[in-house]
Amino acid sequence: VFQLETAMGSAIECFESAGAVVVPRSRFAPVKTTSDLFVLRSDVYAITPASTVEATVPQVPLVKLDDKHYKLVDQMERLTPRPPSLVAATSLTVKGPVRFGAGVVIKGDVTLECAESSPVTIQGTTYSSGSHKVAAPAEAPGVPAGAPAAAYA
């Protein structure tokens, strides 16, 4: 499968008997950024028995990941061991180093903001439309930094 960009599309006239095949968006998921890859790895797309990739929703959500933390594939993979459910999402904007754990569901238009310099893991949570601050859990009083709180309960 070859994807022709606009400039290459105009150059096709230079090839004798050249043609193009129109593939509907429901069967084609362009991946140019890690934001696109993030959506492709979510439950918005499924691999069919014919080994094609198809959208499972009528409108694919718009995702914008913070380039400072997600620009490269290895950065995105470290912060997304379990992609969130996006089937009920319209858009997702991630600002800062948010690590997605199991069971995260995004619904509507959601912005997740993490002001921490180190990644903060979210899991088992549904985020509905709006802006949500993501922060590391507060340390239990009297517990030395880095020690498991359960040992001091």
Side-chain angles (χ1 to χ4, degrees):
V1 173
F2 292 97
Q3 175 187 353
L4 295 178
E5 300 294 336
T6 306
M8 195 56 201
S10 9
I12 202 164
E13 66 188 38
C14 298
F15 299 97
E16 215 174 293
S17 302
V21 176
V22 177
V23 178
R25 221 19 132 169
S26 63
R27 292 188 53 220
F28 173 67
V31 176
K32 295 183 179 187
T33 65
T34 53
S35 293
D36 298 334
L37 183 59
F38 184 90
V39 177
L40 183 67
R41 290 183 175 178
S42 77
D43 55 357
V44 167
Y45 288 97
I47 299 175
T48 68
S51 297
T52 61
V53 175
E54 290 188 2
T56 61
V57 295
Q59 184 67 38
V60 174
L62 174 64
V63 171
K64 176 62 182 131
L65 301 175
D66 187 334
D67 279 346
K68 183 176 177 186
H69 301 282
Y70 296 88
K71 186 168 181 79
L72 303 175
V73 173
D74 64 327
Q75 290 175 309
M76 187 205 69
E77 287 180 338
R78 276 194 300 272
L79 292 173
T80 316
R82 305 290 283 279
S85 172
L86 297 174
V87 293
T90 312
S91 70
L92 171 64
T93 301
V94 179
K95 298 176 182 177
V98 177
R99 180 179 289 121
F100 292 87
V104 176
V105 178
I106 306 297
K107 294 183 175 183
D109 295 304
V110 173
T111 298
L112 298 175
E113 294 184 59
C114 176
E116 308 280 331
S117 57
S118 297
V120 174
T121 301
I122 57 174
Q123 56 190 5
T125 307
T126 297
Y127 294 93
S128 295
S129 290
S131 185
H132 303 273
K133 301 284 185 200
V134 175
E139 300 243 354
V143 177
Y152 291 88

